[in-house]
Amino acid sequence: MQTQYINEMLNLPELKINQILSINADELHIEAVPLDDKQCCPCCGSDQAVIRKGSNDMRIVRHLSVFEKKTYLHVPSTRLLCTRCKAGFVWMYEFVGPKQRYSRLFRSHTAEQAFGSTAAHSARMQQAPVSTVQRIHNEAVPVEYERVCEQVWEEAKETTDLVLDVDDFAIKKGHAYNTGIFSAAITSHEIAVAIKQAF
Ligand SMILES: [Zn+2]
């Protein structure tokens, strides 16, 4: 199979696929390397004096499934040295955070799926351990919270005839109830109808 198609499917422009290491009914292992040959030094921000200093073991990173198979990327963990700053560092990838074993796309996809259902469901869909999905989900919650707050605030500021409503809800039936404040933009005619119905 042409590796360029897989390259497009993986949606990781920083990488070039070297070879398919193995493929079976459940798993696909792909070896890939960065397109660039050096990176900027984290201290001086320049790549002028950066040299390669060998490699650690390959990093194995779980990525989004390809052909419904669990997909793992094997990428080099290249050591670099800035001879000017004497700073040693390891190749940083855009697609995966330092020391992480799941790619950013895998993490966001998994968290999104868990937001829409449950961690158990997302774990089944992603063929990943529930504890891993739970952790990814928990790490995504504060970020999602910030995003939703900002979005709601912006929408509220731009909305005329804003109506606030208070209601209670429980995450799980029979568990502690939370108070939620809802906002809605409705016309004054709708408010009049709602008030009439309430009495
Ligand atoms: Zn430097």
Side-chain angles (χ1 to χ4, degrees), residues 40-47 49-50 81-87 89:
C40 291
C41 160
C43 300
C44 66
S46 158
D47 66 358
V50 173
L81 174 75
C82 177
T83 53
R84 192 158 53 195
C85 308
K86 302 280 176 265
F89 54 103

Side-chain angles (χ1 to χ4, degrees), residues 65-189:
S65 297
V66 174
F67 312 128
E68 293 176 12
K69 293 178 197 298
K70 288 199 256 180
T71 299
Y72 296 87
L73 296 163
H74 297 237
V75 291
S77 186
T78 307
R79 288 198 303 268
L80 302 158
L81 174 75
C82 177
T83 53
R84 192 158 53 195
C85 308
K86 302 280 176 265
F89 54 103
V90 179
W91 193 278
M92 301 266 276
Y93 289 94
E94 291 270 326
F95 80 98
V96 59
K99 297 197 167 85
Q100 286 187 340
R101 295 188 297 130
Y102 295 85
S103 72
R104 293 188 203 281
L105 275 173
F106 182 92
R107 294 169 70 89
S108 61
H109 195 79
T110 302
E112 218 167 277
Q113 215 160 32
F115 284 138
S117 56
T118 62
H121 173 75
S122 179
R124 255 197 322 278
M125 299 298 286
Q126 300 295 334
Q127 304 178 69
V130 176
S131 56
T132 301
V133 174
Q134 194 83 55
R135 184 167 43 79
I136 290 174
H137 171 265
N138 291 347
E139 284 165 10
V141 166
V143 182
E144 182 66 3
Y145 173 80
E146 286 292 324
R147 192 190 66 77
V148 170
C149 279
E150 194 156 317
Q151 185 190 334
V152 169
W153 187 241
E154 284 308 312
E155 281 173 14
K157 279 196 291 190
E158 283 169 20
T159 306
T160 52
D161 300 325
L162 187 72
V163 173
L164 291 181
D165 185 18
V166 180
D167 203 357
D168 53 23
F169 67 96
I171 302 287
K172 231 174 166 183
K173 252 199 162 29
H175 283 234
Y177 276 79
N178 297 283
T179 302
I181 299 176
F182 305 90
S183 69
I186 55 177
T187 64
S188 42
H189 170 72

Side-chain angles (χ1 to χ4, degrees), residues 187-199:
T187 64
S188 42
H189 170 72
E190 284 171 314
I191 297 173
V193 172
I195 292 172
K196 244 186 190 167
Q197 282 169 351
F199 291 97

